Amino acid sequence: MSLLMSTSATACGRAHNSPVPRTGPFGRARLALSHVKLRRYEYRHGLHAATADSVATAPADLLYAKTPAGATETLQVVSVDSSSSPATLTVQWKGQTLRLSPRSEGGWSTEKIGCYPAEGGELLRAFPAMSGRLLLELHEHAGPAPTAVSSWDRVHSLGELEAAATADATLWTEGTRPGAPEKTPLQAATLTAGELVALMQGKRGVVIVQLWNGFEPARGQPLFEPYVVGLLERALATPGVRAVTSTAPGGVGLTAVLFADKEPFNVWGPHLASFGCQANAVAGSAYYKVLIGKILGYADENIYGYVRSLGGGLTPAIISQVEADLKKLSKAKPKLPWNREGSRGGKKTAQAAGGAPGAGQQKGGGKRK
């Protein structure tokens, strides 16, 4: 297993020499341990006593963990270490890497062994604006990690998410239909991850991800949602995918804009950054709500229904203006999947855009909820 030595003395904790799996929610240290082998190991070493129902787990699984206080926390499995006795789990929780060790009295103890994303890691190299104080604030925002876990249930996996997007990516490509049932907690938690998967599968041309939420921090940090950091790193390494950062007015928010390097996506994506679009902030006018929705590829009826539900004063003139402005940016029609063999390449070169807000834009942004 590829390891690095954590020597951070920042929000990640005091300097220590604990081995930490390399950054990324899936780690680069996946163990080829089947569920069957792990279940046998659990029974051999008594690990089943620490779980709710003897459910086996593997890297990239998602767990709902119960704490002794009765709270439910979402944990993402990075690795299963069967070389130790008893076996331990390495998981990620809100930017913190934890080691879970079975206790003789039942349940699991937790030990904080690192933080993610890490200074100098792939994500910070791609988005250097996150470095320094902003990264410290991101980690400090998570608060203290749970000190123990009473039991856990496996509820999802990255493989299942990818398979669902392959079969039908509508949930992650078309936006929310007016009057649609509220998303389940699991759907809401993995929404951004599903959008990134859809982008890499060629079913989305532009995706925005909130890297830092400073305008409404009580809502949490989207970067800590399941699989997001690892999928961001994978998307950045995917041939044909590019990215720019979008800074909110006053620096209260930072968003990653990822896009296919083909027209019109490689022109539309940087245009979002030009006016400070933020993934988790609502645009300040009907014009910008429609513009952002169309660039993100959502279905027209869902975009218009969303704007009307907010009383945004949607008119045919606004829709016509958005369509005309998009054609000025690029005359190419969006074609999906963008990574299909022989699909049209881009002619224009995407430029990293600044964070100046456009007229009528409040905080920028507008990814659907």
Side-chain angles (χ1 to χ4, degrees), residues 3-369:
L3 299 176
L4 58 85
M5 304 305 291
S6 173
T7 57
S8 171
T10 63
C12 295
R14 293 186 178 276
H16 55 76
N17 291 318
S18 298
V20 181
R22 287 185 63 87
T23 184
F26 321 125
R28 295 186 178 176
R30 291 194 185 187
L31 300 181
L33 183 65
S34 71
H35 285 216
V36 174
K37 288 182 179 179
L38 178 58
R39 184 175 285 112
R40 289 174 180 169
Y41 193 90
E42 284 180 328
Y43 280 106
R44 190 179 305 141
H45 294 275
L47 293 190
H48 60 284
T51 66
D53 51 8
S54 301
V55 176
T57 189
D61 277 354
L62 205 60
L63 313 177
Y64 280 171
K66 287 285 187 182
T67 69
T72 299
E73 301 289 352
T74 302
L75 306 178
Q76 182 183 318
V77 179
V78 175
S79 65
V80 182
D81 185 3
S82 58
S83 64
S84 62
S85 182
T88 61
L89 299 179
T90 299
V91 301
Q92 292 185 330
W93 173 88
K94 293 184 180 180
Q96 301 181 38
T97 304
L98 310 176
R99 181 185 292 118
L100 272 61
S101 303
R103 301 185 302 185
S104 58
E105 66 271 26
W108 305 70
S109 62
T110 67
E111 176 191 2
K112 182 177 176 180
I113 59 174
C115 289
Y116 70 95
E119 193 76 66
E122 294 177 24
L123 199 65
L124 274 294
R125 288 196 296 271
F127 304 112
M130 291 181 62
S131 297
R133 182 59 201 168
L134 193 60
L135 185 62
L136 289 177
E137 291 182 8
L138 185 73
H139 286 148
E140 289 169 353
H141 185 268
T147 57
V149 168
S150 301
S151 62
W152 51 259
D153 291 304
R154 178 192 178 279
V155 294
H156 205 38
S157 73
L158 177 62
E160 291 167 356
L161 179 65
E162 291 173 325
T166 298
D168 181 5
T170 301
L171 177 64
W172 304 287
T173 60
E174 293 194 355
T176 302
R177 175 176 51 83
E182 187 175 349
K183 293 180 180 64
T184 67
L186 183 59
Q187 287 175 330
T190 56
L191 182 62
T192 299
E195 292 186 338
L196 287 166
V197 169
L199 172 69
M200 288 184 281
Q201 291 182 352
K203 298 176 180 179
R204 286 281 297 268
V206 181
V207 168
I208 52 179
V209 179
Q210 195 76 41
L211 299 174
W212 164 246
N213 172 12
F215 45 82
E216 202 172 3
R219 293 181 59 186
Q221 297 299 329
L223 197 61
F224 294 156
E225 292 171 357
Y227 307 127
V228 170
V229 171
L231 287 174
L232 268 173
E233 293 175 346
R234 268 179 50 185
L236 292 168
T238 298
V241 173
R242 298 185 64 186
V244 294
T245 51
S246 179
T247 305
V252 295
L254 190 69
T255 283
V257 182
L258 293 91
F259 52 90
D261 194 13
K262 293 183 178 180
E263 284 197 56
F265 310 118
N266 61 357
V267 182
W268 288 358
H271 184 62
L272 292 179
S274 73
F275 55 82
C277 175
Q278 298 298 294
N280 284 64
V282 178
S285 70
Y287 171 86
Y288 278 101
K289 290 183 179 74
V290 174
L291 176 71
I292 294 166
K294 284 183 175 289
I295 288 178
L296 294 180
Y298 298 150
D300 284 349
E301 60 268 27
N302 295 343
I303 298 171
Y304 304 153
Y306 170 72
V307 177
R308 292 189 183 102
S309 71
L310 297 179
L314 183 65
T315 65
I318 288 175
I319 295 173
S320 296
Q321 185 64 56
V322 169
E323 292 174 347
D325 289 346
L326 289 175
K327 287 180 180 178
K328 288 179 183 177
L329 291 170
S330 174
K331 290 182 171 56
K333 293 183 179 181
K335 294 182 179 180
L336 297 172
W338 60 263
N339 54 0
R340 181 171 49 203
E341 188 71 24
S343 61
R344 179 180 177 182
K347 293 182 179 179
K348 298 184 180 180
T349 301
Q351 300 293 327
Q361 181 79 358
Q362 296 177 358
K363 297 181 181 175
K367 185 166 75 171
R368 53 126 185 197
K369 301 294 184 275

